[in-house]
Amino acid sequence: MEFVSGYRDEFLDFAALLFGWFRKFVAERGAVRTSLEGRWWQLEAQIRRLPQDPALWVLHVLPNRSVGISLGQGAEPGPGPGLGSARLLGDDPPLHLRDLSPYVSFVSLEDGEEGEEEEEEDEEEKREDGGAGTEKMEPEEDQGASSYQQGSPPRKQTLQESQRRLTGRQEVARMAAERTGWRTKQDPRRRRDRGVKACVLSTQCPLLEAAPLHLSCLLLVTDEHGTILGIDLLVDGAQGTASWGSGTENLAPRAYALLCHSMACPMGSGDPRKPQQLTVGDARLHRELESLVPRLGVKLAKTPMRTWGPRPGFTFASLRARTCHVCHRHSFEVKLTPCPHCSAVLYCGEACLRADWRRCPEDVSHRFWCPRLAAFMDRAGELAALPFTYTAGDPYQLLQGDGPALMPPVPPDPPRALFGSWQDYYTWRGLSLDSPTAVLLTYPLTVYYVITHLVPQSFPELNIQNKQSLKIHVVEAGKEFDLVMVFWELLVLLPHVALELQFVGDGLPPESDQQHFTLQRDGPEVSVRPGSGLSARPSSGTKEKGAHRDLQIKVSARPYHLLQGPKPDLVIGFNSGFGLKDTWLSSLPRLQSLRVPAFFTESSEYGCVMDDQTMAVATGGGTSPPQPNPFRSPFRLRAADNCMPWYCNAFIFHLVYKPAQGSGARPAPGPPPPSPTPSAPPALTRRRRGEKKPGRGARRRR
């Protein structure tokens, strides 16, 4: 698929943003260093002319003595095009964090001892190294480098898996690295997670495939709202990393260069600017910057920062920067402009637009997709038409602290009519329209809508509304299984139906394979927060009295085409992305042989078109015309390289199976005739300040 918005883990987008900015920073910092001193004067003069940001900026110093990074055989060496960014930003980027496991794993640089023994060993190592190490980067006692919260690594399972992957070859490489001057603090076989967030990077080292890399310190520039504006990584002792710097060098020049680059090219968002005031999270570095920061026209706080935390309004959306669809450069590197015809795809200039316009084969070129993407963009207003009042306040306010339960008590009487909108459901359920629970409830409500509306319309012969029990397969389930508790709402909406949900997919935890358990209500209230009265208990496999009030859950951690068992009544998949996973080429024929009603959601119309093409290739069948899901998630997913409207579970369609030979059934409906395609690539035009944006009709005029 050409666009992966809505399918990719947000952490990977965040990592790509960090490495893209850091790669640019390393290149420009090296150019300034090797030039005459006048280059610094020009840069400082340029920063002094920048407009002031009223928000306070913070320079954080975050030492790391616990976690190292072990790079696998697929990692790319070099701080230039490497840094893992080519893997994160390339034409075939990973979609999930687990896809990086062949390239990166996290290791502990400490042993299992605790307390004073560890401190004594660290002091002993510093004395043996003649004072070298990370001592200069540690904040002075009682000064508090920063209250920047250091949580667990992004994926603990990756750390545990890396423990099992250590081999004798890695131990030999570690010993060789120590002899060549690359020091590792502790035996990597004895590891313990100390809760330090690790960063993914690569470096030029002949032993990078075996020995762990030590990120000794992280310099981070943010504003008072928590938006990241710049980052610098200090690698301790690795060979060939002179351009990165070592933990033994003075921090002040590096911190000053980072501040200059963060002002001239802020990572998070906004135009170049300088802060009115800056505070530093390390007492020693604060003293060293007292004579440097005023040269930029910035006021340095009188004392070092003691505590800090992001404000409640901070969101990760503020950290995202747009990218060119072709060359993947970020908006802080180049000026991005959407295609003048469709306004859907972002390009950095005429060269990238022409290259995408003329791609081969023709059906992957922007010339082929441009009129179709324009039609997708026309539905942005329709998809945004939801009754919620999130724009009037903070949608996450109810999720903070010990507030009220997210879900009110279950109404005493079952619903008298079928719900077809969030408005009707929220009214009956007693929810306020400023409640963000629709983000979670989109999954059970979509299943409810399929059972009560779509199956009776498309498969009336099944008479599904009169069935007393239903077996439903949720295919390629990953995130949905993590939210399994919210599916209890199905029994609130369908109280007289005994439901069995079987989650199937090779992305499920292997330890959950073949598990069977029951969700029960132990009290009068239902809530999705911990301790709410919902419980999960193993199933005995026998029907108990009143079992129709329970929700049976089964788990099969395998691709759907390898699943054995009775035929289900219904198959459902969420945000499927048939073209993104090869197992669909086997799972779709399996569904064709079962010929059960199979409904799938997608986050955009583009995904529906790609799913129809994949279904045709895999089975010779097709898909029904997609229709907007009234129970789609209310939060729009912001894409990096396009402006199309993406929403979780935005559209629903069902599979149209290829007719059996001799059945006399009608063939699957073909796609609608394509819109006329412009013969030449449009010219990218940038509007002048104050000039109004032309209407959709004016943009399409030939």
Side-chain angles (χ1 to χ4, degrees):
M1 292 179 66
E2 193 72 16
F3 303 99
V4 296
S5 309
Y7 308 101
R8 196 182 190 206
D9 290 347
E10 292 189 2
F11 177 81
L12 295 179
D13 288 331
F14 177 55
L17 171 62
L18 290 180
F19 288 123
W21 191 93
F22 181 67
R23 178 176 55 185
K24 184 176 186 296
F25 169 54
V26 170
E28 296 188 358
R29 183 185 62 191
V32 172
R33 239 181 222 175
T34 57
S35 63
L36 299 175
E37 190 174 351
R39 180 76 179 272
W40 277 110
W41 295 345
Q42 295 177 3
L43 181 60
E44 292 171 348
Q46 175 187 353
I47 293 176
R48 284 195 294 268
R49 292 191 296 267
L50 293 177
Q52 281 192 336
D53 186 350
L56 173 70
W57 284 26
V58 184
L59 173 60
H60 306 270
V61 182
L62 307 174
N64 168 38
R65 295 186 299 172
S66 302
V67 178
I69 301 98
S70 178
L71 302 178
Q73 296 181 358
E76 301 176 5
L83 299 177
S85 57
R87 177 65 181 160
L88 291 170
L89 297 173
D91 294 330
D92 188 21
L95 299 179
H96 307 287
L97 187 60
R98 63 177 180 269
D99 297 336
L100 291 179
S101 58
Y103 304 88
V104 179
S105 58
F106 304 109
V107 298
S108 175
L109 301 178
E110 294 185 348
D111 58 10
E113 300 295 332
E114 295 187 43
E116 299 179 354
E117 293 183 5
E118 291 181 346
E119 297 178 0
E120 291 175 0
E121 289 177 0
D122 290 338
E123 293 297 331
E124 208 172 314
E125 288 178 358
K126 290 178 183 178
R127 287 194 296 269
E128 291 176 358
D129 293 340
T134 60
E135 183 178 0
K136 289 189 177 181
M137 284 166 286
E138 297 179 9
E140 292 184 2
E141 189 177 357
D142 299 332
Q143 292 295 337
S146 169
S147 65
Y148 189 86
Q149 299 298 322
Q150 300 283 4
S152 299
R155 179 173 163 85
K156 285 188 178 180
Q157 187 175 357
T158 306
L159 178 60
Q160 296 171 355
E161 291 171 355
S162 66
Q163 296 178 1
R164 297 192 295 265
R165 285 199 297 268
L166 277 176
T167 62
R169 181 177 62 86
Q170 289 177 301
E171 175 64 12
V172 173
R174 182 189 66 82
M175 298 171 61
E178 291 181 342
R179 288 197 298 268
T180 56
W182 190 20
R183 167 178 160 270
T184 56
K185 293 180 62 175
Q186 298 291 343
D187 188 337
R189 291 175 301 179
R190 297 179 297 172
R191 59 195 66 192
R192 181 170 53 88
D193 176 19
R194 293 298 299 270
V196 179
K197 288 184 177 179
C199 296
V200 180
L201 52 105
S202 61
T203 183
Q204 290 178 337
C205 178
L207 302 173
L208 60 86
E209 294 185 357
L213 178 69
H214 181 207
L215 175 64
S216 61
C217 186
L218 175 69
L219 294 178
L220 190 68
V221 180
T222 71
D223 63 10
E224 60 182 337
H225 305 291
T227 302
I228 297 180
L229 303 168
I231 187 173
D232 192 7
L233 310 174
L234 283 77
V235 179
D236 185 18
Q239 293 182 351
T241 57
S243 61
W244 295 42
S246 170
T248 61
E249 69 175 342
N250 188 11
L251 277 181
R254 292 190 66 120
Y256 185 69
L258 175 62
L259 289 171
C260 291
H261 197 73
S262 302
M263 298 175 196
C265 181
M267 179 195 305
S269 60
D271 297 326
R273 61 196 184 275
K274 63 180 181 181
Q276 187 174 359
Q277 188 176 19
L278 171 75
T279 182
V280 182
D282 179 73
R284 181 178 304 176
L285 183 58
H286 181 275
R287 291 193 300 268
E288 295 174 348
L289 291 176
E290 285 180 343
S291 60
L292 296 175
V293 172
R295 292 160 57 176
L296 304 174
V298 177
K299 181 181 179 182
L300 186 65
K302 295 182 179 180
T303 58
M305 176 190 62
R306 293 182 178 272
T307 58
W308 176 86
R311 292 190 174 184
F314 167 72
T315 64
F316 272 98
S318 64
L319 299 178
R320 296 179 185 165
R322 297 294 182 93
T323 61
C324 175
H325 178 62
V326 176
C327 67
H328 309 295
R329 287 189 292 176
H330 286 88
S331 55
F332 51 73
E333 301 176 85
V334 291
K335 179 70 174 180
L336 299 177
T337 307
C339 170
H341 278 324
C342 64
S343 299
V345 187
L346 296 173
Y347 300 101
C348 65
E350 298 283 351
C352 284
L353 174 57
R354 286 195 299 269
D356 198 30
W357 188 269
R358 299 168 180 169
R359 288 179 62 184
C360 294
E362 184 182 1
D363 59 355
V364 301
S365 67
H366 186 67
R367 177 183 178 181
F368 176 85
W369 281 100
C370 188
R372 295 164 177 80
L373 298 181
F376 300 162
M377 292 291 292
D378 286 339
R379 305 193 73 166
E382 177 186 358
L383 294 174
L386 293 170
F388 303 105
T389 58
Y390 297 139
T391 54
D394 180 11
Y396 299 99
Q397 185 176 1
L398 292 177
L399 302 177
Q400 300 173 2
D402 297 328
L406 293 179
M407 296 296 293
V410 177
D413 299 324
R416 298 181 179 179
L418 300 178
F419 300 129
S421 67
W422 281 120
Q423 178 81 52
D424 296 339
Y425 167 75
Y426 262 50
T427 301
W428 174 79
R429 201 61 172 85
L431 289 166
S432 173
L433 288 177
D434 61 358
S435 171
T437 53
V439 179
L440 304 177
L441 293 174
T442 178
Y443 297 99
L445 267 293
T446 296
V447 177
Y448 165 82
Y449 183 70
V450 169
I451 294 174
T452 58
H453 289 74
L454 299 186
V455 174
Q457 291 174 9
S458 303
F459 303 92
E461 67 278 5
L462 297 180
N463 198 20
I464 194 172
Q465 290 179 314
N466 294 328
K467 290 193 173 184
Q468 300 298 314
S469 62
L470 287 175
K471 293 183 179 181
I472 302 174
H473 286 179
V474 183
V475 297
E476 292 299 333
K479 178 167 55 178
E480 297 79 25
F481 181 67
D482 296 335
L483 302 174
V484 65
M485 302 298 282
V486 303
F487 285 93
W488 171 265
E489 191 69 11
L490 286 172
L491 291 186
V492 177
L493 294 167
L494 304 171
H496 303 297
V497 180
L499 290 174
E500 178 186 292
L501 297 183
Q502 184 165 357
F503 293 85
V504 187
D506 55 358
L508 292 170
E511 60 272 13
S512 300
D513 187 34
Q514 300 302 312
Q515 283 192 3
H516 179 197
F517 56 92
T518 302
L519 297 184
Q520 279 190 319
R521 181 182 8 212
D522 296 332
E525 296 185 0
V526 178
S527 174
V528 294
R529 63 178 184 178
S532 59
L534 278 177
S535 66
R537 63 175 177 83
S539 175
S540 61
T542 59
K543 287 266 186 177
E544 300 176 5
K545 186 176 180 180
H548 64 281
R549 294 295 301 165
D550 300 339
L551 180 61
Q552 303 293 322
I553 302 294
K554 293 183 178 180
V555 185
S556 296
R558 64 197 65 189
Y560 189 75
H561 63 277
L562 299 180
L563 178 68
Q564 302 293 328
K567 183 178 177 179
D569 299 301
L570 181 64
V571 172
I572 292 180
F574 297 98
N575 305 303
S576 307
F578 291 169
L580 294 174
K581 198 170 184 180
D582 293 339
T583 55
W584 281 113
L585 297 177
S586 301
S587 297
L588 292 174
R590 170 65 173 164
L591 291 171
Q592 167 87 21
S593 64
L594 294 175
R595 306 190 76 85
V596 296
F599 287 80
F600 296 89
T601 69
E602 277 293 357
S603 53
S604 72
E605 280 187 284
Y606 170 81
C608 297
V609 174
M610 299 302 297
D611 290 349
D612 180 76
Q613 295 179 3
T614 307
M615 179 66 178
V617 171
T619 68
T623 62
S624 65
Q627 56 179 297
N629 178 12
F631 294 105
R632 60 190 173 273
S633 172
F635 290 166
R636 179 169 178 171
L637 304 173
R638 185 181 180 187
D641 61 348
N642 66 87
C643 305
M644 285 187 287
W646 300 78
Y647 293 84
C648 180
N649 300 325
F651 292 90
I652 306 180
F653 63 87
H654 67 82
L655 299 185
V656 179
Y657 299 119
K658 181 180 178 180
Q661 293 184 357
S663 63
R666 293 185 305 170
S675 304
T677 303
S679 58
L684 290 177
T685 57
R686 295 191 174 95
R687 300 189 307 274
R688 297 180 180 178
R689 184 172 297 178
E691 184 179 351
K692 292 185 178 179
K693 183 178 181 180
R696 175 72 66 184
R699 253 194 323 267
R700 287 187 179 179
R701 191 169 301 157
R702 303 180 81 178

